[in-house]
Amino acid sequence: MSLIERLADEFARLPGIGRKTALRLTYHVLKITPADAGRLAGAIMAAAEQIRPCEVCGGYTETSPCAFCLNPRRDRSMICVVEEASDITPIEGTGYYHGLYHVLGGRLSPLDGIGPDELNIPALLRRVREAGSSPVSEVVLATNPSVEGEATALYLHRMLSPLGVRVSRIARGLPVGGDLEYADGVTIAEALEHRREL
Amino acid sequence: MSLIERLADEFARLPGIGRKTALRLTYHVLKITPADAGRLAGAIMAAAEQIRPCEVCGGYTETSPCAFCLNPRRDRSMICVVEEASDITPIEGTGYYHGLYHVLGGRLSPLDGIGPDELNIPALLRRVREAGSSPVSEVVLATNPSVEGEATALYLHRMLSPLGVRVSRIARGLPVGGDLEYADGVTIAEALEHRREL
């Protein structure tokens, strides 16, 4: 196989990159300088080799525990539970949340053989139970509003409630800037059900 | 800057990759094994360092002259002129063309300061003029059907005609599977003008 085909194959392995995009990226690599290509290849290797899960929250980090878990300015009484480490970025982007995180590494999906033991759930229960001097008062379940995300949230609610911690779920409703005309019925029904008095 | 941000920045430099896609690719790299990441990084470096322009046609190759130029089964009497090396793949994909190629490395674009000297044109004229034992009988101009691609084709036609070689231009018209209703007026006019008797 030629080097061009080999690189195109590697690019095509990436999620959301089809054959045509893979070829476009390949020809881009051929146009840039070897130094620029080296920066890309080096960044890939450095990330793959040096980034690992935080021993506390399961998020990606170069040093464990991660910067969130070590940061004394974060509110240690709140833990926001997300499915994937990549879900932290959009939440941080809001600038609204200042607590800690916990990354499950997926969601319950019995059909795919993913039960509670396959997820980072025991560590979450341990964190809540053994919080020590700064107890956890609330766990925010921020799994995705999908069938499996909801099932995961329900399961976590059942496991966390006996520990005497407040368990909340992120709100569902119409997205800001959304349009009633184009929203699906379930979302509209949820938005009506959880309406708030003004 | 964290390794995650560094990698996301590198991915975002690639053409057609926005900030969100760059982050998605970054998290993908964190999920695969270091060995798989090494294969991707290695393919990037190998391509960037070992692939260079063919000394004859200007196409990308690991060994110069390239496989097309050396292949004794290719029709040496025809040269297909393309703007970029990436244009060869779709033409080869048709299985219809069996001649040689010549890569210009762009198209005439005076506003961007790209004149004939910035393109691989002198080498093309030399190839036609000094073909030796297997003379070139036809040059197919397969630059893109854009304003600049047409201008480049016209210029090449003017330069090549005095050399006593047949110069042709790829046909324009409605794409196969296309729809009159959605075609632009210029394309329809060209399709009418170049209609063929059945």
Side-chain angles (χ1 to χ4, degrees):
Chain A
M1 201 192 325
S2 80
L3 291 175
I4 290 184
E5 284 162 29
R6 200 182 117 200
L7 180 53
D9 280 357
E10 288 295 334
F11 275 132
R13 252 180 244 278
L14 297 173
I17 305 289
R19 193 73 211 163
K20 283 207 168 178
T21 305
L23 268 177
R24 190 160 46 74
L25 295 179
T26 299
Y27 283 111
H28 173 80
V29 167
L30 299 179
K31 276 199 170 171
I32 60 180
T33 65
D36 280 342
R39 280 224 316 282
L40 171 58
I44 290 171
M45 283 320 294
E49 284 174 349
Q50 294 171 43
I51 295 179
R52 52 187 191 279
C54 167
E55 64 200 73
V56 177
C57 72
Y60 288 125
T61 180
E62 297 162 44
T63 52
S64 184
C66 72
F68 287 120
C69 292
L70 287 178
N71 189 340
R73 309 234 303 276
R74 306 289 301 197
D75 177 358
R76 310 193 80 77
S77 71
M78 286 185 89
I79 295 180
C80 177
V81 179
V82 293
E83 292 180 16
E84 302 289 349
S86 47
D87 296 331
I88 294 177
T89 311
I91 296 177
E92 281 298 296
T94 66
Y96 179 82
Y97 180 74
H98 302 100
L100 302 176
Y101 288 99
H102 194 85
V103 178
L104 296 177
R107 58 231 164 144
L108 293 179
S109 179
L111 289 178
D112 301 319
I114 298 179
D117 295 340
E118 276 69 46
L119 300 178
N120 193 18
I121 292 178
L124 172 63
L125 302 178
R126 222 178 305 126
R127 276 179 87 181
V128 173
R129 221 184 275 120
E130 303 164 8
S133 60
S134 47
V136 178
S137 65
E138 179 172 352
V139 174
V140 184
L141 301 174
T143 53
N144 284 320
S146 62
V147 173
E148 290 163 339
E150 292 296 345
T152 308
L154 273 175
Y155 176 84
L156 289 175
H157 180 219
R158 231 174 37 221
M159 301 299 283
L160 289 163
S161 293
L163 304 181
V165 70
R166 187 160 64 217
V167 182
S168 61
R169 179 84 176 105
I170 50 169
R172 294 204 295 185
L174 287 168
V176 176
D179 196 320
L180 262 177
E181 197 182 343
Y182 299 116
D184 63 291
V186 180
T187 298
I188 297 177
E190 295 255 359
L192 287 170
E193 187 186 344
H194 300 289
R195 67 194 179 280
R196 281 178 306 180
E197 210 168 324
L198 295 175
Chain B
M1 201 191 324
S2 80
L3 291 176
I4 290 184
E5 284 162 30
R6 201 181 116 200
L7 180 53
D9 280 358
E10 288 296 334
F11 276 132
R13 253 179 242 279
L14 297 174
I17 306 288
R19 194 72 211 163
K20 282 207 170 179
T21 305
L23 268 177
R24 190 160 44 75
L25 295 178
T26 299
Y27 283 111
H28 173 79
V29 167
L30 299 179
K31 275 198 171 171
I32 60 181
T33 65
D36 280 343
R39 279 224 315 283
L40 171 58
I44 291 171
M45 283 321 294
E49 284 174 350
Q50 295 170 41
I51 294 179
R52 52 186 191 281
C54 167
E55 66 200 72
V56 178
C57 72
Y60 288 124
T61 180
E62 296 161 42
T63 53
S64 185
C66 72
F68 287 120
C69 293
L70 288 179
N71 189 340
R73 308 235 303 276
R74 304 290 301 198
D75 177 358
R76 311 192 82 75
S77 71
M78 286 186 90
I79 295 180
C80 177
V81 179
V82 292
E83 293 181 15
E84 302 288 351
S86 48
D87 296 331
I88 294 177
T89 311
I91 295 177
E92 281 298 297
T94 66
Y96 180 82
Y97 180 75
H98 302 100
L100 302 177
Y101 288 99
H102 194 86
V103 178
L104 296 177
R107 56 220 164 158
L108 293 179
S109 179
L111 288 179
D112 301 320
I114 299 179
D117 295 340
E118 275 69 47
L119 300 178
N120 194 17
I121 291 179
L124 172 64
L125 302 178
R126 222 178 305 126
R127 278 180 84 180
V128 173
R129 219 184 279 120
E130 304 165 8
S133 60
S134 47
V136 178
S137 64
E138 179 172 353
V139 175
V140 184
L141 301 175
T143 52
N144 284 319
S146 63
V147 173
E148 289 162 339
E150 291 297 345
T152 309
L154 272 176
Y155 175 84
L156 290 175
H157 180 219
R158 231 176 34 221
M159 301 298 284
L160 289 164
S161 294
L163 304 182
V165 70
R166 188 161 62 219
V167 182
S168 62
R169 178 85 177 104
I170 50 169
R172 295 203 294 185
L174 287 168
V176 176
D179 196 320
L180 264 177
E181 195 180 346
Y182 299 116
D184 63 289
V186 180
T187 298
I188 297 177
E190 294 256 358
L192 286 170
E193 186 187 343
H194 299 291
R195 66 194 180 280
R196 281 178 304 179
E197 210 167 325
L198 295 176

